Amino acid sequence: MFESIEVDEAGLVDEIARLERVKSAAAAGQARLTAVLADKRRAAEAAAGVPRAKQCRGLASEVALARRDSPVRGGRHLGFATALVFEMPHTLAALECGALSEWRATLIVRESACLDVEDRRTLDAEMCADVTKLDGLGDARITADAKAIAYRLDPQAVVDRAAKAESERTVTIRPAPDAMAYVSILLPVAKGVGVYAALKRAADTTFDDRSRGQVMADTAYERVTGTPADVADPVAVDMVITDETLLGGDDVPAILSGYGPIPASVARGLVSKAVSDERSRCTLRRLYRHPKSGALVAMESRSRFFPKGLAMFIGLRDQTCRTPYCDAPIRHRDHAQPRHRDGPTSADNGLGECERCNYTKESPGWRVTAGSGENGVHTAEFTTPTRHRYRSTAPPLPGSPDVEVTELEIRIGIAIAEQDAA
Ligand SMILES: [Zn+2]
């Protein structure tokens, strides 16, 4: 927009700064509107006799869809908005004038979450009443300052929150570049430091041609799986691959179920290891795709138990939760139109969803319809209580429509987390 106008460099920097303030002000505006929406919804549901614990169910997902964000972030946006607008006026004002970004305001709200309303107001005033004090503070300083105030105001609440956080310990996996994966363990700090120290000790006492990082990663794998890192141990994974990629003539990536695309050469490596290792097992199943769109339309039956085959088909077709922007792993393969409203048990009416989204679509006012078009592409339409509609389509299979596609179940030792047993 500025290429054709004569603006000097200082003017360009001023404009970049101005637009940053506009982003903060827009975030403040979204927070105000979100809080009003939550207030209206709660009042309407209370008047209709909905118990308090069930009020605003699914609202986080509505906010997420409107903001093109995942439901998990929608929940954060909703909590952020109600806290800012109803309890933290100074933080809201700092966001509005651009002294805080949306993320930094979120950090302050997060650190104050364990406090009661009165203490929260005190923290709000101390942090943000004088916005000049926020100048030059990065994310880490903002978090540390807010933490220190929260601890001074109510040490017990901070300790209680730490105890609650401990119950949220978990393990997650997400794809990393170059056919690698991050496996993260969320642990209480003492245990987390303990795990890291044990791996470092292994690196300190191992002398071979591996780097410290390699020794630590191999040791973690060995202690978790009980198998040396260089020995393949049967773990079942599902992979979708075109025949041409499998036979070496093509470089179309394969899709590893629960992970995403992997390079053709890596996929071929897994298959050749599986067929040359006698403890491994490799079963094939042909998938049929629509001749024009490449959508998955059918698959060869490998199991006589129909619902299991159907669930597998839906998982392969959808790959991740079908709510727009969600991307969470599929936990439920369920009816789009529920069975109690005469929804059929069929591939067309089936939908892969994460746990959270599956409960959301059962909330009052939500309606989900699903079906395949003439091109074989499966589409789901989500209608929210405010009558807004959002669509999602199932991803196409790898490769072009005229290439045959095969699904392989390979049992081979590879360093990714085992998927939920089907
Ligand atoms: Zn979801």
Side-chain angles (χ1 to χ4, degrees), residues 31-99:
R32 282 187 194 282
L33 299 177
T34 304
V36 173
L37 173 66
D39 213 32
K40 267 184 184 291
R41 179 69 57 85
R42 187 167 293 117
E45 289 183 338
V50 178
R52 195 170 170 80
K54 287 196 171 171
Q55 290 168 12
C56 292
R57 238 179 84 180
L59 189 61
S61 294
E62 293 178 59
V63 171
L65 284 166
R67 293 188 58 165
R68 297 175 172 252
D69 222 338
S70 70
V72 172
R73 294 223 187 100
R76 197 168 75 198
H77 296 317
L78 180 57
F80 172 76
T82 49
L84 270 192
V85 173
F86 300 125
E87 296 168 6
M88 305 181 76
H90 296 291
T91 309
L92 179 61
L95 180 63
E96 203 133 52
C97 74

Side-chain angles (χ1 to χ4, degrees), residues 168-406:
E168 282 153 16
R169 61 194 183 275
T170 188
V171 178
T172 52
I173 181 170
R174 66 196 162 91
D178 305 325
M180 303 285 278
Y182 296 108
V183 176
S184 313
I185 318 175
L186 182 66
L187 284 173
V189 63
K191 287 188 177 147
V193 170
V195 168
Y196 192 74
L199 295 173
K200 249 174 67 181
R201 193 158 54 238
D204 289 339
T205 54
T206 304
F207 303 98
D208 53 26
D209 53 2
R210 290 175 297 169
S211 71
R212 289 179 58 81
Q214 289 168 345
V215 172
M216 288 167 74
D218 290 349
T219 307
Y221 176 81
E222 284 163 19
R223 297 201 183 154
V224 170
T225 62
T227 317
D230 56 351
V231 175
D233 192 45
V235 174
V237 295
D238 285 329
M239 186 164 77
V240 179
I241 188 170
T242 70
D243 290 14
E244 293 194 3
T245 296
L246 179 60
L247 302 173
D250 204 349
D251 283 324
V252 177
I255 294 173
L256 204 53
S257 179
Y259 172 85
I262 57 170
S265 58
V266 175
R268 280 194 291 269
L270 288 178
V271 177
S272 66
K273 254 198 217 164
V275 294
S276 57
D277 183 336
E278 60 192 25
R279 294 166 309 157
S280 295
R281 191 167 67 88
C282 193
T283 58
L284 291 161
R285 171 175 39 199
R286 193 145 300 279
L287 305 177
Y288 298 99
R289 59 154 119 219
H290 191 274
K292 285 220 173 63
S293 66
L296 173 60
V297 289
M299 62 182 194
E300 229 166 45
S301 178
R302 189 168 50 185
S303 146
R304 275 183 299 170
F305 187 45
F306 173 72
K308 187 181 173 193
L310 184 59
M312 214 180 249
F313 175 85
I314 292 167
L316 274 176
R317 181 193 66 197
D318 294 350
Q319 294 180 34
T320 56
C321 175
R322 282 289 295 277
T323 301
Y325 317 111
C326 182
D327 292 342
I330 293 173
R331 290 276 174 265
H332 296 266
R333 289 145 186 97
D334 204 2
H335 299 67
Q337 188 186 346
R339 229 175 332 192
H340 59 78
R341 276 185 244 147
D342 300 326
T345 301
S346 66
D348 269 356
N349 191 43
L351 216 52
E353 291 207 286
C354 73
E355 200 168 350
R356 178 187 187 121
C357 292
N358 197 30
Y359 293 134
T360 297
K361 80 174 173 48
E362 304 290 323
S363 304
W366 282 77
R367 203 164 63 89
V368 182
T369 53
S372 296
E374 263 175 37
N375 56 1
V377 175
H378 188 261
T379 304
E381 188 175 83
F382 296 72
T383 308
T384 68
T386 52
R387 300 273 159 258
H388 287 85
R389 289 175 187 204
Y390 304 89
R391 287 166 149 250
S392 86
T393 52
L397 289 175
S400 60
D402 54 341
V403 177
E404 292 201 70
V405 182
T406 299

